[in-house]
Structures are given as C-alpha cells and as structure tokens.
Amino acid sequence: PSSVTLNGFQMQGAMFSSPTLVQVGGSPHAALSWVGALLPNELVVLLHIHSLMPTEPLVAVDVQVDKPACMSVKLEGPAVKISGSSARITQVRPGDDPAVLAARLSFAAPLPKTGNLSLVVAVKYDGIQAGRINAEIPLPLALFFRPVQSNTQQFGGMWQKLPCNHKLRIAPTAVSDPEHFVAILQRANFAKVEIIKSEIISVSRVARPGDCPLLCHARLGGGAVDVTVKSTDESWAQAAAVAIGSMC
C-alpha cells in the first residue's frame, strides 16, 4: 500500500495516477496532474496544479470540480478557500511544489446502469499570462471495489443469501488459464478465494458505507469465461461483472 498525507489526513491504499502532466487546451503556463488513494469507503483524488512560468507566479487560481451525478464530493486542501465544488488558490509559484487539492468522492445515490464515471476539472488562472486547463479524469468502476479476504465455507454461506446476480459470458477471450484470470481479478480489486479446476471464486465489496458485498464465480472453458456476480444490489452486481469482463 502507498500513503499520502494532506491537511492532517493520512490516506493509505492502492494508488492510481496520471502518466504525465496534463496540459489540455494548449496552455504553456500551467499543468494539472493527479494521484488517487483507494480508501475503505471512498476514493480520494489529489489534484496537483503546477506552474510552468519561468519567474512569475500563477495567481487567483480557480478550480472547479464536476463530479458524477451519483456521487458527493468534498474538497480539502492547505491554504485553499473552498466553496462547495470550487476552490480558490491564492498563487502557485514557479519552482515550488504544486498546489494540492483533495477531492473526496463517495456514493450518494444509486449507480447509473449505463455510462462511465469521470471527474471533470477546470482550472482557471491569472497573472502575467492568464489561461485555463480542462481535464476529464476517468474513474473506472474497479476503483470503487475493495478486495475482501474470505474462505470457501464463508463464500458458500454468503452466496446462498445474496438476492441479486448478474451473469456475463465473455467470448472470445484472451484468458488462457485460471491463474491468468486470477491476475485479472486482482486488477479489478477482487480477492481470490479458491481455484477449483476450471472454476474461480473471489470476493470484493463496494467502497461505500453499509454492506454491499460482491461475490464472483467464474468458469473457464471452450474459449469463453462465464462470470456470475452476486450482491445485495443489482446495479453493482452488473457493474462488477462488466468491469471484470472488460479486462478479459
């Protein structure tokens, strides 16, 4: 696990990040990058605003964060004035560390059945050179799953009780053997329980308050993978099955 400290919060979890500085809109004066922490019941996206000016600072830096409709967002940051989903940073000096703003995302409504989730960020700044950056940060659903350690007996007991399920056949598939599929499950934040010949069982949960387990049974054979995900919530069972299928 990795950890990030911001404004007194110690955040630990697997990290995801932008591969390079994002300079959308052709701005030569500023850039945006991000890194995220997968916490037990939320996703935290740390936004970094960089000055690329040679000597003069960026001033009156306004950041607007547009969240998915099914989520709530809370902004936090040192030396940042917060107002709802927007923030004002007084200045960002060249050569200094970037200004940091944390967007804490949690689910406030049911998951939509279609469409991808993303965080849209707009950065506007003044100074000798004024400008604007627009970026869309994709939020794959696997970022909202948390692996759960379990054993076969516990899996069987939960499987019988969960009311919702979603079945998905993935064919053709590049999955070559059960261990290959286990690697995919780990990328999707599912924890392997057991491999039984051509079958794999695994467990995860949704990163939100309250109990929303995700149990996955997969069977390999005939150039296909048959996946069944059970949960307390039909939309999350479908989302998990589709997320796993997209990686196969």
Side-chain angles (χ1 to χ4, degrees):
S2 304
S3 66
V4 175
T5 301
L6 174 69
N7 201 22
F9 290 94
Q10 183 74 15
M11 299 181 289
Q12 295 188 343
M15 309 299 289
F16 73 101
S17 62
S18 56
T20 58
L21 297 185
V22 179
Q23 293 171 254
V24 182
S27 169
H29 313 299
L32 175 70
S33 64
W34 61 85
V35 63
L38 280 60
L39 303 190
N41 291 322
E42 63 182 340
L43 174 68
V44 181
V45 181
L46 300 178
L47 304 170
H48 297 78
I49 296 96
H50 308 254
S51 173
L52 304 181
M53 297 284 284
T55 56
E56 297 298 320
L58 308 175
V59 299
V61 181
D62 290 318
V63 183
Q64 176 68 39
V65 176
D66 291 330
K67 60 177 180 59
C70 60
M71 307 194 79
S72 64
V73 63
K74 181 181 180 183
L75 301 183
E76 298 177 352
V80 176
K81 183 178 180 181
I82 308 292
S83 177
S85 59
S86 61
R88 164 65 67 92
I89 301 167
T90 304
Q91 64 178 4
V92 183
R93 294 184 176 278
D96 287 354
D97 290 337
V100 181
L101 181 66
R104 306 184 76 111
L105 295 164
S106 57
F107 282 94
L111 182 71
K113 291 190 175 182
T114 58
N116 298 317
L117 301 183
S118 63
L119 193 68
V120 178
V121 181
V123 180
K124 185 178 70 172
Y125 56 88
D126 292 326
I128 291 181
Q129 298 286 346
R132 184 182 180 94
I133 301 172
N134 296 299
E136 184 171 1
I137 302 172
L139 302 174
L141 285 173
L143 294 175
F144 301 100
F145 304 151
R146 301 293 180 266
V148 176
Q149 299 301 318
S150 183
N151 59 42
T152 304
Q153 184 178 1
Q154 292 169 330
F155 181 95
M158 289 189 292
W159 185 267
Q160 297 299 325
K161 296 177 182 178
L162 294 175
C164 304
N165 75 84
H166 186 83
K167 296 179 182 291
L168 181 67
R169 167 164 270 239
I170 305 152
T173 178
V175 176
S176 56
D177 55 61
E179 291 294 347
H180 184 183
F181 189 73
V182 168
I184 291 171
L185 289 170
Q186 290 172 339
R187 285 169 47 207
N189 288 315
F190 275 70
K192 180 190 79 172
V193 177
E194 188 178 7
I195 297 174
I196 310 166
K197 296 183 179 179
S198 62
E199 300 179 45
I200 306 98
I201 55 176
S202 59
V203 182
S204 186
R205 69 173 186 86
V206 179
R208 70 176 193 188
D211 187 25
C212 189
L214 298 167
L215 273 62
C216 177
H217 173 275
R219 185 192 302 272
L220 279 62
V225 182
D226 291 299
V227 173
T228 302
V229 177
K230 296 193 74 172
S231 182
T232 55
D233 185 301
E234 183 178 353
S235 62
W236 277 111
Q238 176 180 349
V242 171
I244 292 168
S246 69
M247 299 180 184
C248 292

